Amino acid sequence: MTLTTSMMGLQLAHPFVAGASPMGRQLDDVKRLEDGGAAAIVLPSLFEEQITFASEGRIRHKDPFDARSAPALQHFPGQADYAFTPDEYAEYVRRVRCAVKVPVIGSLNGTTSESWLTFSRLIEQAGAHAIELNMYEVVADPKLSSAALEHQIVQVAAELRQFLKIPVAIKLSPFFASIGNVVQRLERAGAAGVVLFNRFYQPDIDVDAMQTVVDARLSTSAELLLRLRWLAILHGRVKLSLIASGGVAVPDDGVKAVLAGADAIQVASAVLRHGPAYLTTLRDGLAAWMARKGFTSLDEVRGKLSLRGVADPSGFERAHYLRALQTWKPGS
Ligand SMILES: Cc1cc2nc3c(=O)[nH]c(=O)nc-3n(C[C@H](O)[C@H](O)[C@H](O)COP(=O)(O)O)c2cc1C
């Protein structure tokens, strides 16, 4: 049986990749990820705010030492709170490359198509096999239209493509009116993969303390369903790699992601929860399922439950929505 898969042109022994998380902050932990079975490793992100601070002394175009900037910048972490400075990050990529054999993916995290992006070249020169760009942003400015935001994301992908020889993946939010359109435009701009999806950290409210609570909670399988839908819709309609991220918590979740159309599957929460060897548990679970069902290669499984052969996926989704509402019974 072969579980090999290609992600952005990188050959992987199986589809389970360690997603960006604090697990990748120390060289020893990165080695544990490889020993635990990661087919590739995405390093934790270097953030635009760190790069602009180091290169221009500014964060979001503001001088952090200017009292007038205080209200806008007071909630940002201090420079000492980050795991790496930009220079340390490039050096870290170099050390990780020497320490492990599996592909290493550097991660940039930012929102603008400005000069900070040139830092990607240092990550490439340090030996990263690919770069993932996480464009996490909660757009609260009502003057910024969806069209303008999408243009900016596509622009960033095009710029990175120009700077770099290594493949680039864009980690996307699920909040677009037409995800397929954005993914197709990213492909045309030269992205080699999309990571579906970014997880949005949603502040809760502590009613006793009457305070907002912000924390990075680990995911559960419930979050996978949104990913499955879009993997299934996009599989066969774009050529770039579809990389699942979010809610792969148990081995069957990995099987589902491949059936829906994933080329690779990033796992962060389950690794933080159970340790790096859980990547082997996920791989073995997929292999055992394939053996049970009589499959011998991942290519036979990938996208088997996608909407590739469905002429009108929107109509299909609408039909299933109506059917789900109409067939609901008490207790279901
Ligand atoms: C504590 C923590 C730290 C994370 N750090 C990063 C990061 O530096 N960059 C990034 O792109 N994603 C980061 N993520 C998001 C994960 O890579 C992943 O996309 C998300 O958690 C969904 O996958 P999961 O359900 O397997 O956790 C982080 C997640 C957690 C829980």
Side-chain angles (χ1 to χ4, degrees):
M1 176 187 298
T2 166
L3 297 181
T4 54
T5 188
S6 166
M7 178 186 74
M8 300 190 278
L10 303 168
Q11 293 309 308
L12 307 184
H14 62 80
F16 296 102
V17 172
S21 90
M23 201 67 176
R25 279 185 198 156
Q26 310 267 346
L27 202 55
D28 281 352
D29 286 335
V30 174
K31 286 187 202 152
R32 286 177 61 218
L33 285 170
E34 182 178 47
D35 294 343
I41 295 166
V42 185
L43 296 179
S45 296
L46 181 68
F47 297 87
E48 175 178 356
E49 289 80 356
Q50 293 177 267
I51 299 174
T52 59
F53 180 76
S55 59
E56 303 153 22
R58 294 188 160 250
I59 297 172
R60 291 179 81 85
H61 301 291
K62 293 188 167 63
D63 176 356
F65 299 111
D66 182 339
R68 284 168 299 179
S69 306
L73 299 181
Q74 63 176 328
H75 299 295
F76 279 86
Q79 295 306 307
D81 297 327
Y82 293 105
F84 311 94
T85 64
D87 288 342
E88 286 166 353
Y89 192 86
E91 182 52 30
Y92 184 61
V93 171
R94 194 164 289 126
R95 290 172 61 216
V96 170
R97 264 307 307 275
C98 294
V100 299
K101 293 194 182 64
V102 293
V104 174
I105 298 156
S107 168
L108 285 173
N109 196 316
T111 60
T112 71
S113 60
E114 295 173 9
S115 60
W116 72 282
L117 284 173
T118 56
F119 196 88
S120 59
R121 283 202 188 115
L122 296 184
I123 298 176
E124 178 178 69
Q125 283 159 15
H129 291 91
I131 286 190
E132 177 176 295
L133 179 72
N134 182 342
M135 298 201 58
Y136 185 103
E137 189 170 23
V138 177
V139 179
D141 176 0
K143 293 196 287 304
L144 180 57
S145 73
S146 303
L149 182 77
E150 289 174 11
H151 176 76
Q152 189 172 321
I153 291 171
V154 173
Q155 192 66 25
V156 170
E159 272 177 44
L160 276 183
R161 193 60 255 138
Q162 286 190 343
F163 294 149
L164 303 173
K165 295 189 186 67
I166 54 175
V168 173
I170 309 292
K171 193 168 186 177
L172 281 179
S173 146
F175 304 121
F176 291 101
S178 176
I179 292 177
N181 178 268
V182 174
V183 172
Q184 247 177 27
R185 284 160 61 198
L186 286 170
E187 178 170 275
R188 267 186 249 129
V194 281
V195 182
L196 307 172
F197 290 111
N198 225 330
R199 225 174 133 231
F200 273 76
Y201 296 105
Q202 304 172 83
D204 200 352
I205 289 177
D206 178 332
V207 293
D208 288 325
M210 291 226 300
Q211 267 178 2
T212 303
V213 185
V214 183
D215 58 9
R217 285 183 203 163
L218 300 183
S219 69
T220 66
S221 299
E223 294 188 27
L224 182 67
L225 304 187
L226 179 67
R227 281 76 185 169
L228 295 181
R229 158 172 287 166
W230 285 102
L231 289 165
I233 292 174
L234 292 170
H235 176 78
R237 290 189 161 81
V238 288
K239 292 197 184 64
L240 47 61
S241 295
L242 298 177
I243 305 163
S245 171
V248 174
V250 295
D252 277 357
D253 294 336
V255 176
K256 292 177 192 181
V258 180
L259 281 169
D263 296 296
I265 302 165
Q266 291 187 6
V267 188
S269 292
V271 169
L272 292 172
R273 197 176 272 131
H274 306 294
Y278 202 69
L279 289 156
T280 297
T281 305
L282 293 171
R283 186 202 64 194
D284 291 351
L286 175 62
W289 177 87
M290 284 170 61
R292 234 175 30 246
K293 296 290 178 189
F295 292 112
T296 54
S297 94
L298 207 66
D299 294 342
E300 296 163 10
V301 182
R302 190 181 302 106
K304 223 173 166 37
L305 293 186
S306 72
L307 302 192
R308 186 182 193 141
V310 174
D312 174 14
S314 295
F316 179 91
E317 292 288 342
R318 178 85 187 153
H320 278 261
Y321 164 67
L322 298 186
R323 190 182 287 269
L325 298 191
Q326 297 316 312
T327 55
W328 183 86
K329 291 189 183 62
S332 63

